[in-house]
Amino acid sequence: MLRFEVSVEDLLRSRFALSPAMELSALLRSLDGRNRPLPRAWASRLRPAFERLRRETALDAFLALHTAHSGADFVAPPPRGLGQTWADDLASIRATPLAAARPELAAAAARPAGRDPRVRAVLDAADAVPRIAEAMDRAWRELLAADWPQLRAICERDVVHRVGVIGEHGWATAIESLHPGIVWHEGGIELGFFPRGGTVRLVGDGLLLIPSVCVGPSVAAHLEDPWPRTLVYPARGTAALWDATETVPGPDALTALVGRARARLLVALDAPASTSQLARGLAMAPGAVGDHLAILRAAGLLVRARSGRSVLYRRTPLGEALVGGAGCGCRYDGSWVPVRRA
């Protein structure tokens, strides 16, 4: 069992962040067969480009930096906050001195994947860091960039939900809601399922919490420098992405009643969200989303409230009853999942 000892000061300093580099790493490991398999349609769309990038770039050297449970720190720099971008991560990776990366490069060279002559040539090269950074940048642009606005919207909405739980029920409830295997016990966070045991003391630095679409279905953790002590957990709303059935449901009662676009919005609002978050998550035009939300609100299915600079919408009891009573065949059906059609 892994346990984080948490003080009141730690809670005051705990914060959320997003990590594009970590999402890219998890996606590439899934395509390489090291993580849980991607949904069939998503994998089929990305695999040809993935295999081509393995031939054309140093992507195999990047993959060699990862084991079943860990990866090199220099290719996944700690994020600073919710505004983290791929450009931020890429700049940090490119700025890594070779001397700082060399221990992780050498460790990769000693593993089976590092015995491939082509991979070993990159890992031993004086320009290993820029070559790996360039491979990651091409992978980002060709495999993840187009889907990132939708995936980011899922993670942002998760944070909005967690902050609401903290405000209403406190940190203990919010922490336990991250994953069924996480327990708040006697002033600490316990992960009974974690492969590594021991006690981690935060010593006033707080805990970094990162929602993720591609990491999971369990929880990952960073326990050593240069990362702050970190929990990476599956963001709410990702279950449909990994639904093995991958079927697109047919018309149902809710869709017939309010129309497909409005049904999608109602279903998507299982947690409060803004117009822009819904637009990104559902790949809809913001103007169209605003028009549909206004109609749903006028019908008594939604209410809205300001949260900081954002206006968040949530379902009313009537909206909840409609979604639940329809049996919700209009669950997330792939229209916001990163499976785009040509």
Side-chain angles (χ1 to χ4, degrees):
M1 179 185 71
L2 180 66
R3 177 180 170 85
F4 290 87
E5 293 286 352
V6 183
S7 68
V8 173
E9 185 177 0
D10 289 319
L11 292 180
L12 292 174
R13 294 188 178 183
S14 294
R15 66 274 187 208
F16 291 88
L18 300 183
S19 177
M22 189 164 52
E23 294 292 89
L24 176 64
S25 296
L27 176 71
L28 292 172
R29 291 166 70 180
S30 288
L31 287 167
D32 192 43
R34 305 189 192 192
N35 282 6
R36 57 177 173 172
L38 291 174
R40 186 171 55 254
W42 194 9
S44 297
R45 175 167 61 88
L46 298 184
R47 193 166 300 284
F50 173 71
E51 296 298 341
R52 175 175 50 77
L53 289 170
R54 294 183 69 172
R55 297 190 299 269
E56 295 177 356
T57 73
L59 192 58
D60 279 350
F62 164 81
L63 292 168
L65 292 165
H66 296 78
T67 68
H69 299 292
S70 65
D73 286 326
F74 84 88
V75 295
R80 292 187 294 272
L82 294 171
Q84 192 82 4
T85 66
W86 169 243
D88 296 330
D89 286 337
L90 181 61
S92 295
I93 295 167
R94 284 176 167 161
T96 304
L98 179 61
R102 180 57 70 195
E104 293 177 322
L105 294 168
R111 292 192 286 266
R115 297 172 191 158
D116 183 311
R118 183 169 168 267
V119 171
R120 184 62 181 266
V122 175
L123 296 175
D124 290 343
D127 62 347
V129 172
R131 290 173 69 180
I132 290 171
E134 175 60 25
M136 293 180 69
D137 189 36
R138 283 193 58 184
W140 174 270
R141 288 185 276 115
E142 298 189 33
L143 301 177
L144 190 53
D147 296 318
W148 180 240
Q150 296 180 39
L151 303 186
R152 186 183 192 100
I154 294 171
C155 293
E156 289 173 342
R157 290 183 57 204
D158 175 275
V159 173
V160 171
H161 169 77
R162 307 294 175 186
V163 170
V165 173
I166 293 169
E168 187 172 354
H169 301 288
W171 270 100
T173 300
I175 291 295
E176 290 188 333
S177 74
L178 299 178
H179 188 274
I182 296 179
V183 176
W184 181 279
H185 180 65
E186 296 181 352
I189 301 167
E190 296 181 353
L191 289 72
F193 57 87
F194 205 73
R196 174 175 170 178
T199 299
V200 178
R201 291 176 175 81
L202 303 183
V203 295
D205 295 332
L207 188 65
L208 185 63
L209 299 169
I210 302 179
S212 170
V213 172
C214 296
V215 175
S218 190
V219 172
H222 285 275
L223 307 177
E224 299 172 354
D225 297 337
W227 275 74
R229 306 309 171 250
T230 303
L231 286 179
V232 186
Y233 63 91
R236 283 167 54 90
T238 61
L241 175 60
W242 299 96
D243 190 334
T245 61
E246 296 187 76
T247 58
V248 177
D252 61 13
L254 182 58
T255 299
L257 180 65
V258 300
R260 184 172 185 271
R262 291 167 199 160
R264 290 172 64 204
L265 285 167
L266 275 176
V267 173
L269 283 166
D270 58 343
S274 67
T275 300
S276 59
Q277 289 170 339
L278 290 165
R280 289 195 301 269
L282 294 168
M284 295 172 65
V289 170
D291 290 343
H292 289 308
L293 290 174
I295 292 170
L296 292 170
R297 182 167 168 258
L301 303 180
L302 300 178
V303 293
R304 66 181 184 180
R306 181 165 292 279
S307 176
R309 297 182 180 179
S310 299
V311 174
L312 303 182
Y313 290 82
R314 63 177 176 83
R315 293 192 295 246
T316 64
L318 177 58
E320 295 283 358
L322 279 177
V323 171
C328 220
C330 57
R331 62 182 172 86
Y332 287 126
D333 59 7
S335 32
W336 61 261
V337 169
V339 179
R340 296 187 314 282
R341 298 163 179 79

